[in-house]
Amino acid sequence: MHSRSHIERLLDGIPPHCAFVTVTDAHPVTLGWIGSVAGHRTRSLGVEHFGQTGTIAELYRHYGIDKDAIIRAVEAMTKGRPMTHLKAV
């Protein structure tokens, strides 16, 4: 019998042509491995250096993990027109 990890079961139904953008307030490799589970393309965003001060919004912008950076990462990995009208969730 072949045992499968929880992440393999979670990603089982996701087609191989799909791409992931992972975002964490930690080093990007923390979540970067997820794409290797089933061979999905992955762009991992995260904090690679420490020691800055500022508001959360300023720090996220500085480290490239704010909403604009996430949108740029998604657009770089997908075909089609740029996303221009996004609502806050």
Side-chain angles (χ1 to χ4, degrees):
M1 180 172 189
H2 181 290
S3 61
R4 298 178 68 215
S5 67
H6 183 62
I7 190 70
E8 287 175 302
R9 289 190 300 276
L10 287 172
L11 300 180
D12 191 38
I14 299 177
H17 67 274
C18 292
F20 298 135
V21 174
T22 65
V23 184
T24 183
D25 189 359
H27 199 279
V29 297
T30 305
L31 297 176
W33 62 271
I34 292 174
S36 68
V37 172
H40 293 93
R41 291 180 304 126
T42 305
R43 172 74 169 103
S44 298
L45 306 178
V47 178
E48 294 187 37
H49 301 91
F50 298 94
Q52 300 294 78
T53 59
T55 66
I56 291 175
E58 291 169 339
L59 292 170
Y60 281 13
R61 185 174 44 256
H62 175 79
Y63 289 116
I65 58 175
D66 62 342
K67 68 176 177 63
D68 294 329
I70 296 168
I71 291 169
R72 284 192 305 274
V74 170
E75 287 178 335
M77 295 186 74
T78 57
K79 297 178 182 179
R81 296 177 17 202
M83 294 180 277
T84 55
H85 303 288
L86 296 175
K87 295 180 185 177
V89 188

